[in-house]
Amino acid sequence: MPRPISATIHTEALRHNFARARLAAGDARVWAVVKANAYGHGIERVYEGLRAADGFALLDLDEAERVRALGWRGPILLLEGVFEPRDLELCSRLDLWHVVHCEAQIDMLAMHKTQRPHRVFLKMNSGMNRLGFKPARYRGAWTRLNALPQVEEITLMTHFSDADGPRGIAEQIAVFAAVTADLPGERSLSNSAALLRHSGDALVTHAGRLAVVADWVRPGIAVYGSAPDHPEHGIVHWGLQPTMTLATRLIATQDLVAGDSVGYGSTFTAPQPMRIGIAACGYADGYPRLCPTGTPVLVDGVRCRTVGRVSMDMLAIDLGPVPEAGLGSEVTLWGRSSRGTWLPIDEVAAAAGTVGYELMCALAPRVPTQAA
Ligand SMILES: *Cc1c(COP(=O)(O)O)cnc(C)c1O
């Protein structure tokens, strides 16, 4: 028998979450962001659940090829654009749309020989200071691109740094609106946090009028059943469902007396007699080693807590709430139990001091994963 750990990708939940994102998007078209192998879910495994998308946005050219190999004929967007000139050949061949965020990418396009002009997304650095042209350079970049025969259509794009927090998007929207006011073309804005939190006020008022109307939005994490602004809000608040379940079984139990300690470093000591279960899941499976004693976990669908340090292949659970649990009992590290209860990935991430994104992306290749 194989080691009992496995991950399940929930097609119906992906469909549900995508529909939720579409509702928030109003009339805008919606990219399903599937970078990082669909946030660790596997591009092939999410495809069925996300095929209602208007396009797929990603970073790696080989991921773009995989989406085309699945039969997708609609838009695909390279969110970081191309990395070297020959990437443009693949863009021509596979009809990939690509972000242009720096002069070097315009240089590459200017040298590129193509039959079919490209659709590009010109990125403005409106305050995040990661990728994109500074506001003062943006119109110059647009003019240069617009003059190239290699370019068919230019979409205007920016990315928000604080959509999930108190600073919000107003300042960046104001910058973007001011610079792009009289430029033609569609607009692409909004990750999950901006889409869920700021669609209403959105895109919003600048000097009292609608400043920017998004034609395309780019939700990622919300589609994968994680709240972009946890812990302020959880997935229930946003009407999202878990799309990834990481589950295993108990492979041992131990009866402790008061004073017994558990695991490497003996970081947990039993204050009284207690029963613990040993689950076949550790950091080599992608479960964060930084999860301390008290991290939530479901045993037979009932909420319990971890005790002691997470090892490479195992972790320990206080079986107090589930006295009937034993060898073979179902352990849900995140996602949904077969009893119908949920443990949002965000709660486990928070215990480890990180975000749901990191946990789903870190699901280890050794964990057998299937779509259901
Ligand atoms: C990753 C990414 C997104 C999606 O962000 P989420 O927070 O996962 O919704 C949107 N736009 C760009 C440019 C990205 O890189």
Side-chain angles (χ1 to χ4, degrees):
M1 186 177 140
R3 194 162 164 264
I5 192 165
S6 69
T8 305
I9 306 306
H10 305 290
T11 302
E12 207 43 60
L14 286 161
R15 221 173 260 143
H16 169 91
N17 295 343
F18 186 81
R20 175 73 188 80
R22 187 177 288 292
L23 196 66
D27 293 334
R29 275 156 292 159
V30 185
W31 295 106
V33 179
V34 295
K35 63 188 177 188
N37 199 23
Y39 291 49
H41 289 58
I43 285 180
E44 289 76 10
R45 287 185 287 261
V46 302
Y47 182 66
E48 188 54 40
L50 298 181
R51 56 192 306 161
D54 297 302
F56 291 95
L58 41 73
L59 311 179
D60 293 294
L61 288 120
D62 73 307
E63 292 188 344
E65 288 190 285
R66 283 161 59 195
V67 174
R68 283 282 179 251
L70 287 163
W72 179 254
R73 289 156 168 273
I76 296 178
L77 175 63
L78 299 177
L79 287 168
E80 291 180 347
V82 297
F83 305 98
E84 56 176 342
R86 67 170 181 186
D87 295 345
L88 288 169
E89 290 161 26
L90 198 70
C91 291
S92 292
R93 185 150 54 81
L94 297 181
D95 191 15
L96 308 180
W97 302 359
H98 47 101
V99 165
V100 171
H101 63 77
C102 63
E103 294 287 348
Q105 289 177 327
I106 305 183
D107 296 341
M108 290 185 226
L109 256 174
M111 309 277 289
H112 179 54
K113 293 185 179 37
T114 179
Q115 311 291 330
R116 226 187 330 170
H118 289 196
R119 175 129 182 206
V120 298
F121 280 53
L122 180 61
K123 188 158 189 181
M124 184 191 298
N125 170 12
S126 59
M128 175 123 176
N129 288 307
R130 199 173 59 176
L131 296 183
F133 292 88
K134 284 258 166 59
R137 313 287 302 272
Y138 192 76
R139 298 180 68 91
W142 186 90
T143 304
R144 215 188 138 201
L145 268 182
N146 192 46
L148 293 181
Q150 291 89 341
V151 172
E152 177 195 38
E153 197 177 328
I154 305 172
T155 298
L156 316 179
M157 169 183 181
T158 197
H159 191 59
F160 301 123
S161 57
D162 288 73
D164 57 334
R167 187 163 176 184
I169 64 172
E171 291 164 62
Q172 284 185 269
I173 280 284
V175 169
F176 185 79
V179 175
T180 60
D182 59 348
L183 288 179
E186 296 188 327
R187 272 74 172 151
S188 173
L189 306 163
S190 295
N191 58 3
S192 299
L195 181 60
L196 294 176
R197 290 168 65 92
H198 299 290
S199 281
D201 52 313
L203 313 176
V204 205
T205 52
H206 175 53
R209 68 197 167 86
L210 201 62
V212 184
V213 176
D215 302 290
W216 291 89
V217 293
R218 309 186 300 268
I221 195 69
V223 168
Y224 301 101
S226 166
D229 55 355
H230 186 86
E232 186 182 339
H233 298 115
I235 54 172
V236 173
H237 173 87
W238 292 122
L240 303 169
Q241 299 176 2
T243 59
M244 178 193 283
T245 292
L246 179 60
T248 187
R249 298 197 176 276
L250 293 183
I251 58 169
T253 60
Q254 303 290 343
D255 293 302
L256 308 182
V257 299
D260 280 351
S261 57
V262 178
Y264 287 119
S266 300
T267 62
F268 175 81
T269 301
Q272 76 245 336
M274 60 188 285
R275 202 160 154 263
I276 62 167
I278 307 300
C281 177
Y283 60 79
D285 300 300
Y287 191 91
R289 183 175 172 280
L290 289 174
C291 283
T293 289
T295 301
V297 58
L298 306 180
V299 178
D300 289 334
V302 177
R303 203 175 165 100
C304 299
R305 61 174 185 140
T306 66
V307 289
R309 262 192 207 148
V310 174
S311 327
M312 181 186 283
D313 312 304
M314 287 171 270
L315 54 80
I317 301 167
D318 176 358
L319 296 180
V322 277
E324 67 292 353
L327 273 193
S329 286
E330 177 190 73
V331 176
T332 307
L333 288 318
W334 58 70
R336 55 179 71 186
S337 74
S338 61
R339 315 287 172 105
T341 47
W342 288 3
L343 177 56
I345 196 169
D346 296 330
E347 292 190 37
V348 182
T354 184
V355 288
Y357 297 75
E358 189 174 353
L359 268 55
M360 50 181 82
C361 290
L363 180 70
R366 85 170 184 183
V367 176
T369 304
Q370 70 284 318

